[in-house]
Amino acid sequence: MMKKSFLCFTTVFAVVNVFAQSTAYWQQKADYKMDVTMDMKNYQYHGKQELEYTNNSPDTLKRVFYHLYPNAFQPGSEMDARLHSIKDPDARMVSKITLDGKEVKESRIQNLKPEEMGYLKIANFKQEDVAVDTKTVGTILEVTLAKPILPNAKTTLTLDFDGQVPVQIRRSGRNNAEGVALSMTQWYPKIAEFDFEGWHADPYVAREFHGVWGNFDVKITIDKDYVLGGSGYLQNPNEIGHGYQDAGLDVVYPKKAKMLTWHFIAPMVHDFAWAADKNYLHDVVKGPNHVDLHFLYKNNPKTIANWKQVEPLMVKVMDFYNHTIGNYPYKQYSFIQGGDGGMEYAMCALILGEGTLEGILGTATHELGHSWFQHVLASNESKHPWMDEGFTTYVEDLAMNELAVKKEQNPFKWNYLAYYNLVESGKEQPQTTHSDRYDENRSYSISSYVKGSIFLSQLGYLIGQENLAKTLKRYYNDFKFKHPTPNDIKRSAERVSGAELDWYLIDWTQTTNTIDYGIMAVKNNGETAAVTLERIGRIPMPIDLKVEYVDGTVESFYIPLRMMYFEKENPNPEMKRTVLNDWAWANSKYEFTISKSKNSIKKITIDPSGLMADVKLDNNSFEVK
Ligand SMILES: [Zn+2]
């Protein structure tokens, strides 16, 4: 049995292994050229798109899929239907109304009028100048190609698109709660990802994405008063001005020009987002490694001071992430007020702009962290949101603790409490659940952000903090721009530490099994004490024990887990540690001897670090009375 499952894992791994034959891993490429004009009277836009698509897969592709995300913001869409059926809809996406004296939540999408909803209509679709049949299925465009794309071949796909920016419901939209005119995210026809698992033509129901890397060349024509921020480097800054021009240059616009055409190039990104407003202030701050950090926020006297305070802190946070994970690979990053929580995109994030300094700081720190996990590593977020939201939450908590005046011993303790809470509710679903298909938003959030973050903080308990720090760096270095899978983070940790961790990946991410260890008994055994421990939960763990004696001295004991074939370094070298015999999973009980009498022991504690997610803490310590 063991051998069989090991074989199966190596097969999956071979596909993405950077150390395997260079032909084993492949990814598609999508290079976009887009030219779009915004009509700010009716929030409609018209564009042309040319996509050079390279099929690096071993398959011959007879059809391709595009995302038409704006179609989600229409009455009767899947996103609308989900708001009706889910028990805890996102508060931003519903309005509270009174019906028969009872307060009920109503989908805001359901009430959008034709001129308020979002859409993306495709016309004139051609493959190398040959007209091609397309079919719009909700938020997906299904394209039956005129000519199949052979392995290692390219094709050019062109289309015209007509879009309408919806009244802001979530993420994308116009005139949102903080008065930002345009949040242009998920706004253009975007080819779906095809990888070793096949097509990922996920409908836009709620969240999280998977995309194809490529180069974007985007021209946006809009009334000249609007200030834009977004993905990509502005190619014509001295024609545009608005804070992008060379220092000291006074930009003179052509006399009769009402519109400006902004030309952006974004290399090696898997998405392109932008936002625009007439009242954006625009600051540029030099970040680490000469990266320009742009800040675009509303000229609102209530919030300017907060943004100014956040600017130098984001330089520190970027530097911290560079050192903790690896260098940010682009030369620009923009924090843009979008007024709708926070959402990460390529080389930028849209974040709320009003509210407290802590709110803006926390959101900016979180969204910046996504640049590493969502954008550069870019695991499939629909399938493995914990690898993106969870790992981002982990580095965010580290960074916030780094910035804090008073440092926490365990900056992750709130994550453990939230996870215990979900377990207790009985509503936990395994992390293999597709991000759109959790029963409730709350179980999605805790599973992805919190349990995903604990995957790493608990990994530190398993292999030690130094190995964990090296694992993050190795994972980034080995899998950047390669869409890593869950097995890849496990392999990075194994390569760094030498520990076997398959059991951890399976139990933690594919099941709702929990950890519960207890101290059953401490008995006198002549001049020594016999301690009996019990594994009550399904997940096995190595055990750190701290023993406090009546005379004020302390010592620690470490019980390796047999199936890890590994001995962790002493996490507290200042404390004497005894390494005991390993604990095999099949034994539910474990006994060991302390060379002092029971009466000399004051207290025994399992895992004093609090990094092992033991769901029942009351049986983790034993006080001798
Ligand atoms: Zn996030």
Side-chain angles (χ1 to χ4, degrees), residues 344 366-367 370 389 392 449:
E344 70 281 5
H366 178 87
E367 304 310 338
H370 274 298
E389 293 299 354
T392 299
Y449 290 73

Side-chain angles (χ1 to χ4, degrees), residues 119-358:
Y119 62 71
L120 204 48
K121 293 175 183 165
I122 306 303
N124 202 21
F125 196 109
K126 285 180 182 162
Q127 181 184 13
E128 281 145 25
D129 292 325
V130 179
V132 167
D133 280 346
T134 65
K135 189 172 139 196
T136 298
V137 186
T139 56
I140 293 290
L141 183 78
E142 205 183 312
V143 179
T144 306
L145 295 170
K147 204 174 85 190
I149 321 170
L150 297 175
N152 304 310
K154 279 180 195 183
T155 195
T156 304
L157 305 169
T158 55
L159 59 87
D160 298 341
F161 58 97
D162 274 314
Q164 181 167 281
V165 189
V167 163
Q168 181 129 9
I169 304 291
R170 193 65 245 282
R171 300 193 181 110
S172 332
R174 68 207 209 204
N175 303 324
N176 65 32
E178 293 189 356
V180 174
L182 291 176
S183 299
M184 299 298 287
T185 60
Q186 300 164 259
W187 58 281
Y188 62 94
K190 177 179 173 178
I191 195 148
E193 180 62 296
F194 180 82
D195 63 17
F196 73 105
E197 294 175 310
W199 281 106
H200 297 279
D202 291 303
Y204 188 22
V205 177
R207 56 171 71 91
E208 304 310 329
F209 315 100
H210 192 35
V212 192
W213 278 290
N215 301 319
F216 282 70
D217 182 322
V218 180
K219 287 181 179 148
I220 299 161
T221 302
I222 189 168
D223 294 4
K224 70 172 191 296
D225 297 339
Y226 285 90
V227 186
L228 271 63
S231 312
Y233 307 112
L234 186 61
Q235 300 299 299
N236 53 343
N238 291 340
E239 281 170 35
I240 295 293
H242 288 308
Y244 286 94
Q245 72 272 33
D246 296 341
L249 185 87
D250 219 358
V251 177
V252 184
Y253 300 112
K255 251 197 182 137
K256 281 185 183 158
K258 287 202 171 78
M259 314 275 274
L260 285 176
T261 298
W262 298 60
H263 182 196
F264 294 98
I265 286 185
M268 200 52 183
V269 292
H270 60 69
D271 199 9
F272 188 98
W274 57 285
D277 196 86
K278 285 183 183 173
N279 290 311
Y280 271 151
L281 295 176
H282 179 196
D283 300 332
V284 187
V285 174
K286 268 285 173 235
N289 304 329
H290 309 288
V291 173
D292 284 328
L293 300 180
H294 293 248
F295 296 85
L296 294 112
Y297 51 98
K298 299 275 288 188
N299 187 358
N300 174 351
K302 279 191 295 196
T303 51
I304 292 173
N306 282 346
W307 278 77
K308 292 279 183 205
Q309 279 194 67
V310 164
E311 290 175 359
L313 295 175
M314 284 304 111
V315 176
K316 283 190 180 169
V317 172
M318 181 174 261
D319 191 54
F320 179 78
Y321 288 156
N322 282 343
H323 284 99
T324 306
I325 317 163
N327 279 341
Y328 175 77
Y330 305 98
K331 287 287 161 213
Q332 180 188 306
Y333 187 87
S334 302
F335 296 92
I336 306 163
Q337 182 176 356
D340 180 54
M343 184 62 195
E344 70 281 5
Y345 297 97
M347 301 168 70
C348 68
L350 267 63
I351 63 172
L352 59 93
E354 295 173 9
T356 62
L357 174 67
E358 289 70 31

Side-chain angles (χ1 to χ4, degrees), residues 288 444 471:
Y444 157 79
T471 294

